Amino acid sequence: MDKNNVEQLFKKLSEEDRKRVENILADKNKTQQILNTPQAQALIKKLMGDQ
């Protein structure tokens, strides 16, 4: 995903959801916890083409 894709995705979010994502990304511990979930790992693999 490049920067343009991320920006387009953010534009589709509601203001409330955008703020939630920004808050999570601002907190390294929260971000790491989310990225370590099985669901996030599966999504990352799918996005990277490793199914």
Side-chain angles (χ1 to χ4, degrees):
M1 219 178 225
D2 64 25
K3 184 179 177 182
N4 290 331
N5 289 341
V6 173
E7 288 174 0
Q8 289 175 358
L9 178 62
F10 262 70
K11 288 179 184 178
K12 293 180 182 181
L13 295 175
S14 69
E15 182 67 26
E16 182 179 338
D17 288 340
R18 195 171 22 253
K19 286 181 182 180
R20 283 183 187 154
V21 171
E22 289 170 351
N23 286 337
I24 290 168
L25 294 176
D27 184 328
K28 286 185 179 185
N29 289 329
K30 284 182 186 177
T31 302
Q32 195 61 46
Q33 286 176 338
I34 290 171
L35 290 175
N36 286 332
T37 64
Q39 297 89 343
Q41 291 294 312
L43 179 58
I44 291 167
K45 285 182 179 183
K46 185 174 182 179
L47 292 172
M48 300 297 287
D50 300 336
Q51 296 182 6

